[in-house]
Amino acid sequence: MLAVLISKIARFDYPREWPELFSFLAQQLPSADVLTSHRIFMILFRTLKELSTKRLTADQRNFAEISSHLYKYCWHIWQSDLQTISHGFSIITQSYNSNDKEERHDDLYLTCERWLFCLKIICQLVISGFQSDAKCIQEIRPVKEVSPVLLNAAQSFLPYYTSLQNRHPKFWEFIKRACTKLMKVLVAIQQRHPYSFGDICVLQPVLNFCLNKITDPEPDILSFEQFLIKCMVMAKSVFECKEYKPSVTGRVMDENGVTLEQMKKNISNAVAGVLTRLLPNERIVLLCNVLIRRYFVLTTSDLEEWYENPEVFHHEQDMVQWTEKLRPCAEALYIVLFENHSQLLAPIVVSILQEAMNGCPTSTTEITPGLLLKDAAYGAAAYVYYDLSNYLSFRDWFNGALSLELSNDHPNMRIIHRKVALILGQWVSEIKDDTKRAVYCALIRLLQDKDLSVRLAACRSLCLHVEDANFSERDFSDLLPVCWDSCFKLVKEVQEFDSKVQVLNLISVLLGHVNEVIPYASNLMQFFQLVWEESSGESLLWIQLLIALRNFVIALGYQSPSCYSMLLPILQKGIDINGPDELNLLEDSMLLWEATLSHVPAMVPQLLAYFPCLLEILERNFDHLQVAVDIIEDYIILGGREFLSMHSSSVAKLLDLIVGNVNDRGLLSILPIIDILILCFPMEVPPLISSTLQKLVVICLSGDDGDPFKTAVKASSAAIIARILVMNTNYLAQLTSEPSLSSVLQQTGVAIEDNILLSLVDVWLDKVDNVSLPHKKAFGLALSIILTLRLPQVLDKLDQILSVCTSVILGGTDDLTEEESRNCSGDNMSYGRSHDEDLLPSKELRRRQIKVSDPINRLSLENSVRDNLQTCAALHGESFNSAIAKIHPAAFAQLKQALKMP
C-alpha cells in the first residue's frame, strides 16, 4: 500500500516537485539487502506503472528519459537474479533431505519476488519507454537484447514445473507465475514493437518454441494450462499482426525521398519470409489438426463441470474472455489460422468433419471418443462458416445430419445438441429460404431442451436469426407462442446473471422484429414485472430490461397504456436522478420515457407529473440533451394547454437553462421546440419565456463569423422572432422596446444603429436564403408587417423587403395540400381513422395537425404584402412613391406578377 501511495504522489509531483525520486531509489539499491531491494523494486514498479499511463507528449518524454537511466541497471540485476534462482533451484531439486525446511529458502524466495518485480519493470521500460516501432520505423535495440533471454529463462524454468510441485509448493507457484509472466511480457513486446520483434533472431525462436509447445507438449506441460494459453496468445498475435502483412496505405515521403511505406514493406516481406519458413503447409495442417482433435475435445473434467452446473459451463465456454480458458483460446487461434490459410485448411476441416460424422452415427448414445470428436468438428465448422460455405452445403448438412441429431433425445446427446444450436446461429447468413422454416423449428425445439446449456445456446442463436436482415416473420409467426413460453420458463429456471441478460435480450429482439405482440402482452407484463422485482441492484440487467420495455411499448403502439401499471413505476425509478443507479439507468430510462410519450393516445396524469424530473436531469448536465428535446416536444404536442398550465414555470426555466449554455449543435436541436411551443400558444408563451427570447435576439444581432452552425442558429432564431411578430405583434413590439434587452445587448457588445426591430429586419433580409420554405414565408410575413410601421427608415429598406417577399411568393411555399389538410382534420382526427393515419404514432399525427393549423401556412403572403403596401403608401405619402420609383423595372415587374397586379 505504501508503494501504491508513493506511485499516486509521483503521478502528480514527478518531476517538478519530486525530481530526486528515482535517483534516491537508485542510490539505495547497491547497499540494500534482499528484503530492502525487494521493496525498492516494488516501489519502482508501481511508480513506473502509474507514470506509463500518462499520455501527454511531455510526460512520455519524461518516461523515455527514466527508461534510459534505469534500463541497463535493472536488466543487469534481473540477469544476476536469474542466475541465482537457477542455481538455487538446482540445489533444491538435488536435495532429497525430507527435513529440509522452507524457512532456509527465504532469501531465495525474496530474490524470486524481486526478480518478478524487476521483470515487470523491464517490461514497462521497453513498452512505454520507446515509441512503437510501427510508428517511428526505428529498431528498438532492447527488444533484440531482452526477448531471446526471456525465452531462454522460460525454457530453463519449465523443467522445474514437475520437480518442485510436490516438495516445494511455494517455489512451484513461483515457477507458474514466472513462466506465464515471461510469455506475457514477450506478447506485450511483440504487440508494441512488431518490427523489432520480427527480426529472425527473435521471432523465429519464440514462435517455434510456442508452436512446439502447442503441438507437441511434454506430458506434464499439458496440465500447465495458463502457460499453453500464453503460447497460443503469442502465436495468435503473430498470425494476425497487420505489420507482418503487405500494407495497402498511401505513400508518405520523408525528406530524403525514401518512402516510409517502402520501409514497412521491406520489413514486412522479411518477416513474411521468416513465417513462411517457420510455417510450411505441413506444419499449418498439423497445427489445425491438433487444435481441433486435442484442444477442442471436451475432457472428463469438462463433462463433470457441465453435469454439475450446465449454466456456469455454458458461460465459461462461450462468454468468458478467450485468454482465460484453454479451449476458447484454442478456438480464437484456430479462427485466425483459418483466416490466414482458408484455401489450405477448408478441405482439411471438411475432411475432419466427414471423418467425425462417419465415425459417430446420429443414433449414438454413449459418450465415446467418436462423439467427442464430432462435437469438436462441429465447433470447428461453426466458427469459420464464412469460408467453409464454399466447400460445404448447409442444406445438405442440415437435412442429412443436423436435423437427425435433434431427433435423438438421449441425455448424452446434449453435447451434440449444444453444438447444433451453435452451428444454426453461426451459419445464419448461409441459410436459404427453403430451409429457414426447418431451422426455426429446430431452434425452438432446442430452446425446450432439458439441458440449460443447450437452451442458452439456442437462445443466443435464435437471437441472431431474428436480428438477421433476411429474417422471415411469415415462417416464424406460428412459433411465437411456444417461443414466448419457452423464454418465460427459461428465465425462471436460470440463476446466473448473464443467463437472465441473454434471455431478456432475446425477448427484446423479438419485440423489435415481430408484429404479433399484443396477444402476449399480459404474459410479457408479468414477465417484466418479475424480472424487475428479482433483479434489484443488478444495473446491467435493468438496462437490458429498459431496452426490452422500450421495444414493448413501441410494439404495443396506441395500446401501450394497458401496460402502465407495470411500466410507470419502473420508468419513475429510472428517471429519478437521486436514485442509487442513476448513472447506469438514466440514458435508457429517458429513451423509454420518450417512446412511452410518442405512443400514448392521450396524455395521462402520471406522465404529466413526471415532467419536472426533466428539469432536474438537465440542471445536472446536458449529456442526454437530444432525447430530452424529444421529450419536451412530446409534452408540448400531446399535453397541450393542460401541460402548459401545470408546468409553465418549469418550461421557462428549462428553455432558459438550455439556451445560452449549450453549443450551436445543442441550440439547433432546441430551437424547433421553441418554435412549436410558440406556434401552439402564441399569446401565452412569449411573455413566459421572455428571458429566452432576449437571448435569441442577441443571437440574431451577433455576428456568425461565417461558421455554418452559427449561421444556422442565427437563421433559426430569426425565424422564431419572425413568427412572434406575425402571431403576437404587440408582444414583439414590447420585447424590443424593453430596457432590459438593450442592457443585455450592450453587455454582450452588440451595437444597434437604429432601433432593435429595424436591426432584426436586416437579419431577416440577410438570412432568408439560409432557412427552409416555411421559415422563408415567416420572414416574408414579418417583413410585410414591417411595412406598416410609421418609421421613415422602412422606406430605405423597401426595395429589399419587396424583393424578398417577391422571391418567396414566386418561389412557392411548403403549405399543405387540400388533401393533406383534410386528412389531418375533421373526422379523421378520431382514433377510428382510415388510410395511413392508423399507421402513424399519435405524436406524428398531432404534429401534422399542428402544421395544418399553423397561421404561417394559412395566411396569404400575397394578400399581406398587397394590403400592407397600401398602408405603407398611406403612412408615407410622396416619400413612398419616391421609394417605389427607385425599384429596378425588372424587379417591379416581378413584384406586380407576384401580387397579380395589373
Side-chain angles (χ1 to χ4, degrees), residues 195 242-252 260-262 264-265 268:
Y195 289 137
K242 66 180 190 299
E243 284 79 16
Y244 297 163
K245 297 173 182 178
S247 176
V248 293
T249 57
R251 298 178 62 185
V252 181
L260 294 176
E261 186 60 34
Q262 190 59 48
K264 289 183 178 181
K265 285 183 178 180
S268 297

Side-chain angles (χ1 to χ4, degrees), residues 482-725:
V482 182
C483 185
W484 289 124
D485 187 58
S486 299
C487 288
F488 299 152
K489 289 179 179 177
L490 181 57
V491 84
K492 290 179 181 178
E493 292 181 36
V494 296
Q495 301 295 323
E496 296 293 318
F497 166 81
D498 287 333
S499 303
K500 294 179 180 180
V501 170
Q502 195 171 326
V503 180
L504 194 54
N505 182 56
L506 172 58
I507 290 173
S508 179
V509 169
L510 283 169
L511 288 170
H513 289 82
V514 300
N515 293 321
E516 294 186 28
V517 172
I518 293 174
Y520 316 105
S522 178
N523 289 335
L524 283 164
M525 286 171 56
Q526 294 176 17
F527 166 76
F528 289 137
Q529 185 69 46
L530 179 67
V531 172
W532 178 258
E533 292 171 354
E534 293 183 353
S535 59
S536 177
E538 298 285 2
S539 296
L540 291 177
L541 189 57
W542 275 354
I543 290 171
Q544 197 65 53
L545 176 62
L546 291 169
I547 295 170
L549 283 172
R550 180 169 178 264
N551 289 337
F552 183 49
V553 167
I554 293 171
L556 289 178
Y558 290 163
Q559 299 191 38
S560 58
S562 63
C563 73
Y564 281 2
S565 60
M566 172 273 302
L567 176 71
L568 294 185
I570 296 175
L571 176 60
Q572 186 175 18
K573 184 176 180 63
I575 60 177
D576 179 12
I577 62 169
N578 299 313
D581 297 296
E582 175 266 332
L583 285 175
N584 297 317
L585 303 183
L586 185 58
E587 180 178 1
D588 292 293
S589 296
M590 290 185 70
L591 289 171
L592 173 60
W593 190 2
E594 198 282 326
T596 303
L597 289 168
S598 292
H599 294 84
V600 64
M603 185 62 70
V604 297
Q606 299 99 309
L607 285 172
L608 206 56
Y610 291 167
F611 184 77
C613 294
L614 194 62
L615 179 60
E616 295 179 3
I617 291 168
L618 292 180
E619 282 178 336
R620 176 170 294 189
N621 57 57
F622 297 114
D623 290 349
H624 311 292
L625 178 62
Q626 186 54 61
V627 66
V629 166
D630 294 336
I631 290 170
I632 297 169
E633 184 184 35
D634 292 337
Y635 275 105
I636 295 169
I637 292 175
L638 299 170
R641 199 167 297 279
E642 181 185 5
F643 159 69
L644 186 66
S645 62
M646 182 179 294
H647 298 297
S648 57
S649 61
S650 293
V651 170
K653 289 179 184 177
L654 209 155
L655 295 179
D656 197 48
L657 175 69
I658 296 174
V659 177
N661 291 306
V662 298
N663 60 20
D664 293 328
R665 290 177 184 270
L667 282 172
L668 287 175
S669 67
I670 193 63
L671 290 177
I673 306 306
I674 299 175
D675 191 55
I676 290 177
L677 189 61
I678 294 171
L679 165 59
C680 294
F681 311 104
M683 306 308 295
E684 299 90 336
V685 165
L688 180 68
I689 62 170
S690 59
S691 175
T692 300
L693 294 177
Q694 286 188 0
K695 293 179 182 179
L696 296 188
V697 172
V698 172
I699 290 172
C700 288
L701 301 182
S702 302
D704 55 30
D705 303 322
D707 183 293
F709 284 107
K710 291 188 181 299
T711 299
V713 169
K714 188 172 183 177
S716 298
S717 301
I720 292 172
I721 303 301
R723 175 179 291 282
I724 296 175
L725 179 58

